[in-house]
Amino acid sequence: MDLPAVFGRYRGALEAEMKAVVGSSPLPLYQMLRYHLGWIDQEGKTVEGAGGKALRPTLCLLACESVGGDWRQALPAAAALELLHNFSLIHDDIQDRSALRRNRFTVWHLWGAPQAINAGDAMFALARLALLRAQDLPPAKALRAGRLLDETGLALCEGQYMDMGYESRLDIGVDAYFQMVSRKTAALIAASAEMGALLGCDDERSIGGLRLFGKELGHAFKVVDDLLGVWGQEEATGKSSTSDIAQKKKSFPVVYALESAPRRDKEELLALYGKESLGVEDMGRVVALLGKLGARQQGQKEAERYYRAALGELEAGELLPSSVAELRELATFVVQRDR
């Protein structure tokens, strides 16, 4: 599914804002950041189209417009949210030992884990500095925006802690999975919608409604991401389709299968996940069991349920009809995407 047109509306201004924050320092640390953000290749040459979808900053800017605000006023916050997201990706790749992201080698794979940790930390600091570029905000609103950014960063760390901790456990159910998702994925998407609304208006009903829209959409996003992690095409997703299973991630298909499988199938899954490591044949058997147990179909149902809940939250505030249509289109992309 192609990106909705709204993603292109802000792209140039967003990238310019982020480049202004990252700066032009020749220190190799910043080359690593520019590489991860898709602006250059590993030799330092300029490239086009190697970055991510920019879902979160796009949602922030669209949310600002939806409440009648000027999206340009929210650009520093949108850049901050995208930099915060990328801080988490750099660290996530290290922790998962992922060699590929967006069809390119990851930062740690090229420069080593120690320097990649440093690069992720720098990205986090730049996210906070990006938000400080919003200099015309009333003090109370600026403080609230800063608190939201930092609380979201903390939630990301909590969710990643839970996700990593789940890898060595076999007692994770669907409820525990969504407790993790509410922090690791949904918190940032919710904050993106809330931040845009906050910077665009003073109507708490609209701000709260968009936050809940983002939260529900974040749950749908993660379930779809997990389905793509098992059944997605590597050329589209830009990463290995076996990595989640190899790392024993308790993704939605796995936790659903472990919770709902008949005894014999559950015992086989437990035996496979009880191994120290999974071989190619083991991973193939896991995928076969997940398919047999209907985990893919159930995941699609869950994503649809959260998608419908997200759309319902759009009625919580006085939003511009044209923006509501674009928010619906963005939400549809989230649940129907193949990457």
Side-chain angles (χ1 to χ4, degrees), residues 130-149:
L131 187 60
L132 293 176
R133 287 167 60 89
Q135 298 178 357
D136 296 330
L137 295 177
K141 186 161 287 197
L143 183 62
R144 181 172 170 181
R147 183 179 184 87
L148 176 58
L149 187 73

Side-chain angles (χ1 to χ4, degrees), residues 37 61 133 251 272:
L37 292 168
L61 298 172
R133 287 167 60 89
S251 63
L272 287 165

Side-chain angles (χ1 to χ4, degrees), residues 9 49 85 89 97 122 144 147 164 178 183 186 218 277 282 288 297 316 318:
R9 179 188 304 159
H85 173 54
L89 295 184
R97 307 299 288 178
R144 181 172 170 181
R147 183 179 184 87
M164 293 172 65
F178 279 116
R183 294 169 171 84
S277 62
D282 294 328
Q297 292 82 355
E318 296 294 327

Side-chain angles (χ1 to χ4, degrees), residues 12 24 47 172 266:
S24 57
V47 295
I172 302 303
K266 183 173 182 177

Side-chain angles (χ1 to χ4, degrees), residues 53-188:
K53 295 181 287 293
L55 169 67
R56 294 150 191 85
T58 298
L59 177 57
C60 173
L61 298 172
L62 180 54
C64 183
E65 276 199 296
S66 76
V67 296
D70 180 355
W71 63 267
R72 294 169 187 80
Q73 188 175 18
L75 264 176
L81 290 160
E82 183 67 355
L83 291 168
L84 183 67
H85 173 54
N86 280 279
F87 136 76
S88 74
L89 295 184
I90 292 175
H91 282 192
D92 190 63
D93 288 338
I94 299 165
Q95 292 157 342
D96 290 345
R97 307 299 288 178
S98 299
L100 292 175
R101 179 173 292 280
R102 301 166 187 155
N103 288 311
R104 304 204 307 168
F105 287 125
T106 50
V107 171
W108 80 267
H109 187 81
L110 291 175
W111 287 282
Q115 287 290 18
I117 292 170
N118 196 36
D121 292 346
M123 195 79 84
F124 180 84
L126 287 170
R128 304 189 81 242
L129 289 172
L131 187 60
L132 293 176
R133 287 167 60 89
Q135 298 178 357
D136 296 330
L137 295 177
K141 186 161 287 197
L143 183 62
R144 181 172 170 181
R147 183 179 184 87
L148 176 58
L149 187 73
D150 285 343
E151 287 177 342
T152 303
L154 182 59
L156 289 174
C157 295
E158 292 172 352
Q160 181 68 354
Y161 171 85
M162 294 171 74
D163 192 23
M164 293 172 65
Y166 287 179
E167 291 176 15
S168 60
R169 293 174 56 182
L170 296 172
D171 60 342
I172 302 303
V174 171
D175 287 346
Y177 164 84
F178 279 116
Q179 289 174 22
M180 177 272 292
V181 170
S182 69
R183 294 169 171 84
K184 179 170 179 174
T185 305
L188 183 53

Side-chain angles (χ1 to χ4, degrees), residues 101-103 228-229 232-241 338-339:
R101 179 173 292 280
R102 301 166 187 155
N103 288 311
L228 293 173
Q233 297 297 315
E234 291 185 21
E235 308 81 46
T237 62
K239 56 184 179 181
S240 171
S241 61
D338 60 2
R339 53 196 170 103

Side-chain angles (χ1 to χ4, degrees), residues 264-278:
R264 181 176 296 180
D265 291 331
K266 183 173 182 177
E267 287 176 349
E268 184 176 0
L269 270 174
L270 289 172
L272 287 165
Y273 273 78
K275 291 185 175 185
E276 185 173 344
S277 62
L278 296 173

